[in-house]
Amino acid sequence: METNHKIIFGDCLEKLKDIPDESVDLVFADPPYNMSKKKGLDWKFSKHITMQETWDIFGKDEFFEFNLKWLSECFRVLKHGGSLWVSGSFHNIYQLGFIIQNLTDVKINNSIVWFKPNAQPNITCRMFTESTEHLIWATKNGSNQKWKFNYEDTKNEIEDEINPKGKQTRNVWVIPLTPPTEKQTGPHPTQKPIELLRRIIISCSDKGDTILDPFAGSGTTNLVAMQLGRNSIGIERERKYVELIKKKLSREANAKLFKEAKIVLES
Ligand SMILES: C[S@@+](CC[C@H](N)C(=O)[O-])C[C@H]1O[C@@H](n2cnc3c(N)ncnc32)[C@H](O)[C@@H]1O
């Protein structure tokens, strides 16, 4: 089956307007956290520096407005019964949850705690080591209260230290940080592991569905969509990351199994 992958260069607040109502089956969003400082903290014992990305710096009211706008647009383009997954840290996840709870016709099904067993140490030694991210799974219900959940696939295809194969999957997932083998086409400061996207995509979509990522970054969502026979749309506002996505998808498409994938870059 041929799959299509569209990478759109630009600000998602603008570019989402071009996507028709109810045309997307699944949204995965990994938006700005608003945790960056103009100058990140470093530590003499490691090369790690805390976030200092310009796309991740907002004023308080500006951040709320931004989150409300992109979430509303994503629910507009989502089909009835479609799912929206958003990931974040304590810096943004409560605000995102508050906004989602207040949107009409939207139901939160689960929140997932992603535990990272090899998380970075805490540089200040003035608080606990952050070793989780949080995901919200919400569905656009309409009147029929139906959503896609591939229950058997979740039991058979999700496995980790606390989720044995063949059993119901819990809402705590153990997945290590993105390994270097997944960064061979170039670096991105907040690249998600393939395994995280694989779990979301197999749970809430079928082959041939269309998946949207409004904050595509290094293109993990597009890549996993391609690997699993889904179509994808990624929006990214930094040119260098659009180039990275293109490189990553072309490399994957050239591999034996994915000759059928068509990649379109829209500037
Ligand atoms: C947290 S990262 C996403 C990382 C991605 N999940 C991955 O696995 O590589 C957020 C990305 O959104 C982009 N971004 C930030 N604001 C944006 C906006 N308004 N429109 C489109 N992209 C944006 C940033 O450049 C950054 O690459």
Side-chain angles (χ1 to χ4, degrees):
M1 182 202 296
E2 179 174 290
T3 57
N4 293 291
H5 304 278
K6 193 194 269 189
I7 312 305
I8 303 171
F9 170 50
D11 188 323
C12 69
L13 293 186
E14 283 306 311
K15 300 294 179 181
L16 280 165
K17 291 181 190 156
D18 300 332
I19 301 180
D21 292 358
E22 305 197 4
S23 57
V24 159
D25 300 278
L26 168 64
V27 176
F28 171 77
D30 181 15
Y33 311 91
N34 203 16
M35 68 189 281
S36 283
K37 302 276 182 290
K38 283 196 180 117
K39 184 162 179 359
L41 281 176
D42 59 4
W43 199 37
K44 63 182 174 186
F45 302 112
S46 104
K47 280 191 280 180
H48 179 65
I49 300 174
T50 60
M51 292 263 292
Q52 49 180 13
E53 302 294 318
T54 47
W55 53 261
D56 194 43
I57 300 177
F58 293 79
K60 211 170 178 183
D61 294 345
E62 186 192 14
F63 194 48
F64 188 87
E65 276 299 302
F66 172 75
N67 283 327
L68 179 61
K69 279 189 187 149
W70 74 258
L71 275 166
S72 305
E73 273 299 283
C74 283
F75 278 109
R76 176 186 65 75
V77 305
L78 195 60
K79 292 179 186 171
H80 280 286
S83 288
L84 178 141
W85 284 72
V86 58
S87 73
S89 60
F90 71 81
H91 307 85
N92 62 343
I93 202 74
Y94 303 114
Q95 185 175 105
L96 293 164
F98 174 79
I99 294 171
I100 294 171
Q101 279 179 327
N102 281 286
L103 293 173
T104 314
D105 266 352
V106 172
K107 176 179 180 298
I108 294 181
N109 279 347
N110 277 128
S111 57
I112 304 278
V113 176
W114 163 26
F115 171 59
K116 309 168 187 180
N118 57 347
Q120 299 285 355
N122 180 270
I123 290 177
T124 66
C125 303
R126 298 283 299 146
M127 56 192 76
F128 298 107
T129 304
E130 276 297 311
S131 51
T132 57
E133 277 191 47
H134 305 263
L135 296 112
I136 297 171
W137 170 27
T139 52
K140 178 169 165 178
N141 278 308
S143 51
N144 57 7
Q145 304 272 316
K146 280 191 182 148
W147 57 83
K148 197 173 277 181
F149 182 57
N150 297 325
Y151 176 65
E152 289 303 325
D153 291 344
T154 61
K155 285 202 304 183
N156 296 326
E157 295 193 33
I158 297 179
E159 188 180 9
D160 60 40
E161 285 90 319
I162 59 168
N163 289 297
K165 197 174 170 146
K167 302 276 188 208
Q168 283 193 341
T169 306
R170 296 174 190 274
N171 72 336
V172 180
W173 295 355
V174 183
I175 306 174
L177 296 173
T178 310
T181 48
E182 293 179 19
K183 296 186 174 180
Q184 282 169 352
T185 37
H188 186 287
T190 61
Q191 182 177 330
K192 290 283 175 284
I194 285 178
E195 176 59 15
L196 183 73
L197 268 300
R198 192 187 69 82
R199 292 182 184 200
I200 293 167
I201 291 175
I202 60 165
S203 304
C204 291
S205 71
D206 293 323
K207 279 190 193 306
D209 280 356
T210 297
I211 302 171
L212 165 71
D213 187 334
F215 304 98
S218 67
T220 314
T221 306
N222 305 93
L223 177 79
V224 182
M226 182 186 277
Q227 291 173 338
L228 297 174
R230 277 72 165 169
N231 303 296
S232 71
I233 305 170
I235 309 175
E236 172 53 52
R237 73 167 215 191
E238 302 278 334
R239 173 56 82 182
K240 63 180 177 207
Y241 296 140
V242 169
E243 294 303 323
L244 174 55
I245 302 172
K246 208 170 89 184
K247 211 160 134 192
K248 190 184 266 187
L249 295 191
S250 308
R251 192 173 125 142
E252 192 74 12
N254 286 336
K256 214 169 93 226
L257 283 175
F258 307 116
K259 282 246 186 294
E260 312 84 5
K262 199 164 122 202
I263 303 159
V264 179
L265 184 65
E266 209 175 87
S267 306

